[in-house]
Amino acid sequence: MSRLKELLSATTLIFSLGSIISYSHIATAELSNNTFQQQVAERAIQEWIDFNAPNRPVIQSRADVQELEKKPLEYSKCQTINQYWSVVPATDTKPPNGDTCLLPQRAKPGPAWDTYPWSAAFISYIMHESGAGNQFHYSGRHATYIVDSVRNRDTPNYPFRGYSISEKKPEIGDLICAPREESKNLTYSEILQQGDFKSHCDIVVAKNEDKNIEVIGGNVGDTVAKTIVLLDSSGYIKVTDANFRPWFVIIKNQSSIVSH
């Protein structure tokens, strides 16, 4: 059995709508030799396993995220989050000196240490540690690599190409993305014109018989969390309120990197 299948089978539980599931402790192991896409998924799963041991949250609704946010992120996690920021270029928007541990804790003067959204830094870290090299546009903002992937959707052999969710089916190692906050109504056709916008992306780590996919992202409910995303009968991401994010882009991971 591949390492990815081992990880997935070890973390598979029956879940019910509207509930957050915490997984018991799962032993970690070295990542296997795999395709780049599988390596990306494995590293995301491993980070999810490690970040909040012994509890690993699964999200199925906005209420689940709100429940997680009732418990602020532990300050001790600043070192881990600093690792995520370490792969983001110095010229990008990031915490001062890239060190969130130097920022004040909550209830102290100044911006709280966890006020810098780190979800894009998390994606960048997973891609970097999986061996993406210079094929991925590392950034503290998801829009950087969303725009790049959409602009190059028709570029032959380009490793990350962005499409509307109605055009491509999600597969392991892909990214799916959604606009958020004041950009929540942004459409796929407006991406290149907009250029920069608030958004969120997760990594596809499992696909369950064209019924749903499991995706993992950072800074979801102030943690690393897995989200269940429903698919339609043809295997495309559903446009429905049940998928609590307004997913609109799928970045196909077509890199031919061989990971070790």
Side-chain angles (χ1 to χ4, degrees), residues 85 88-89 91-94 116-124 136-148 175 177 180-183 194-201 251:
W85 282 111
V88 174
T91 54
D92 208 330
T93 301
K94 56 193 301 183
Y116 284 85
W118 47 274
S119 58
F122 173 85
I123 297 292
S124 294
F136 188 78
H137 280 245
Y138 306 104
S139 178
R141 294 181 67 82
H142 297 284
T144 301
Y145 41 80
I146 293 175
V147 170
D148 177 74
L175 297 176
C177 308
R180 62 183 182 86
E181 296 183 19
E182 64 265 24
S183 300
Q194 187 71 19
D196 188 29
F197 49 88
K198 290 188 176 181
S199 51
H200 178 86
C201 297
I251 300 178

Side-chain angles (χ1 to χ4, degrees), residues 75 95-96 99-105 111-116:
Y75 184 69
D99 191 349
T100 60
C101 297
L102 296 178
L103 296 171
Q105 298 184 45
W113 75 276
D114 57 352
T115 56
Y116 284 85

Side-chain angles (χ1 to χ4, degrees), residues 74-170:
E74 296 176 5
Y75 184 69
S76 61
K77 293 297 182 183
C78 67
Q79 295 285 5
T80 300
I81 293 172
N82 281 350
Q83 290 184 332
Y84 303 157
W85 282 111
S86 70
V87 305
V88 174
T91 54
D92 208 330
T93 301
K94 56 193 301 183
N97 300 314
D99 191 349
T100 60
C101 297
L102 296 178
L103 296 171
Q105 298 184 45
R106 288 175 180 260
K108 292 184 178 181
W113 75 276
D114 57 352
T115 56
Y116 284 85
W118 47 274
S119 58
F122 173 85
I123 297 292
S124 294
Y125 175 80
I126 296 297
M127 290 295 177
H128 181 272
E129 294 303 295
S130 299
N134 61 5
Q135 293 195 15
F136 188 78
H137 280 245
Y138 306 104
S139 178
R141 294 181 67 82
H142 297 284
T144 301
Y145 41 80
I146 293 175
V147 170
D148 177 74
S149 69
V150 172
R151 181 178 292 122
N152 289 285
R153 55 169 285 155
D154 298 321
T155 302
N157 301 319
Y158 204 77
F160 296 94
R161 287 181 257 181
Y163 304 90
S164 165
I165 61 169
S166 64
E167 294 180 280
K168 299 287 183 178
K169 298 178 182 179

Side-chain angles (χ1 to χ4, degrees), residues 227-242:
T227 299
I228 308 302
V229 178
L230 301 178
L231 304 178
D232 64 22
S233 59
S234 298
Y236 296 89
I237 295 173
K238 275 189 176 181
V239 180
T240 172
D241 289 341

